Amino acid sequence: MTAQDTAQRPALRSQRLNQITNEPHTKLDALVKAHAPFETQANFARFVVAQYLFQSELVSLYNDAELTTIVPDLPARCRAEAAKADLADLETEVPAPVAGAVKNPTKAEALGWLFVSEGSKLGAAFLIKRAVGLGLSETFGARHLGEPAGGRAEGWKSFVKTLDGLELSAQEEAELDKGAIDAFNRFTVLLEQAYTTTPELA
Ligand code: HEM
């Protein structure tokens, strides 16, 4: 490691995660927008398919007993049911699972995945405003983008505070980073899948 690397190393774990996921986030943001999800309800429905697939793959993590001892409100943070209800609102079939879902991650890897899933609620604040233009809201069609109980900023701050306060080994830090990067890669796969699958076959 060079002196420069050391100087640029963020003090907080969450800041490091922000830093290492900055590029994948920028790419994913561009990819989401390239599919023009707010042009038509049909385009938006494909985006919801991707969100549903991603969230449904994380259900076991959100309900994991060990992880819930770390983040007590973890099960309530899960958005799989909200995304499923959005699919119904949009008269879109629940998609079949896509091979390659996260399986038996270590605790730290799982936290990396959850960091990304929870962080995506921040971008959702912008996305829901656009969804309103399609006649959707946090009670119809765009539930999974809605304000979480207790507040968006508050939910994120408490998650990050908990994450930053954990004692992790060097190996676990690396696993955390891997989980976060894997999560971005997975969402990218699911997004592409959602837009290449025809609605009839979904
Ligand atoms: C599956 C993961 C994610 C997806 C699909 C996603 C998607 C997006 C999209 C499409 C936007 C642009 C919204 C707009 O300009 O209208 C956005 C913005 C944003 N996202 Fe994400 N995001 C994800 C993860 C994260 C994570 C992990 C964080 C935080 C650590 C985060 C923080 C933000 C913030 C703060 C914004 C708004 C301002 C900005 O662009 O910096 N997102 N996100």
Side-chain angles (χ1 to χ4, degrees):
M1 188 182 284
T2 65
Q4 199 190 16
D5 287 337
T6 316
Q8 288 178 347
R9 202 180 202 180
L12 288 173
R13 179 177 291 143
S14 58
Q15 286 173 359
R16 183 188 78 228
L17 287 171
N18 275 333
Q19 200 176 76
I20 65 158
T21 60
N22 185 51
E23 195 199 340
H25 183 271
T26 303
K27 283 188 180 161
L28 187 55
D29 179 355
L31 193 65
V32 167
K33 287 173 180 159
H35 288 292
F38 302 107
E39 217 154 270
T40 62
Q41 271 203 14
N43 280 8
F44 183 72
R46 306 325 297 163
F47 176 69
V48 179
V49 165
Q51 290 273 42
Y52 170 76
L53 287 167
F54 187 69
Q55 288 299 315
S56 62
E57 291 178 0
L58 300 184
V59 166
S60 60
L61 270 50
Y62 273 103
N63 290 288
D64 182 86
E66 188 188 359
L67 293 169
T68 304
T69 61
I70 300 171
V71 183
D73 64 348
L74 195 57
R77 289 173 175 265
C78 184
R79 286 173 294 157
E81 283 306 312
K84 196 175 188 177
D86 288 335
L87 290 175
D89 295 339
L90 297 164
E91 294 177 5
T92 299
E93 299 266 316
V94 174
V98 176
V102 58
K103 207 175 157 204
N104 300 326
T106 63
K107 180 188 75 179
E109 271 175 348
L111 287 166
W113 281 83
L114 291 170
F115 173 85
V116 174
S117 176
E118 287 301 300
S120 74
K121 292 177 178 174
L122 299 176
F126 297 82
L127 301 180
I128 196 158
K129 289 193 183 130
R130 307 277 317 272
V132 168
L134 291 171
L136 308 174
S137 69
E138 61 180 32
T139 55
F140 185 83
R143 300 162 199 260
H144 78 283
L145 301 175
E147 176 98 18
R152 211 180 281 280
E154 291 73 11
W156 176 242
K157 275 188 209 149
S158 75
F159 180 82
V160 161
K161 196 170 172 222
T162 301
L163 186 66
D164 284 334
L166 293 176
E167 287 227 10
L168 297 181
S169 66
Q171 184 185 327
E172 287 173 321
E173 298 285 6
E175 289 172 3
L176 183 70
D177 290 0
K178 179 180 182 297
I181 296 291
D182 285 350
F184 271 102
N185 288 336
R186 183 62 180 164
F187 195 94
T188 304
V189 167
L190 296 175
L191 191 70
E192 291 298 83
Q193 169 85 19
Y195 281 97
T196 51
T197 312
T198 64
E200 290 76 25
L201 295 176

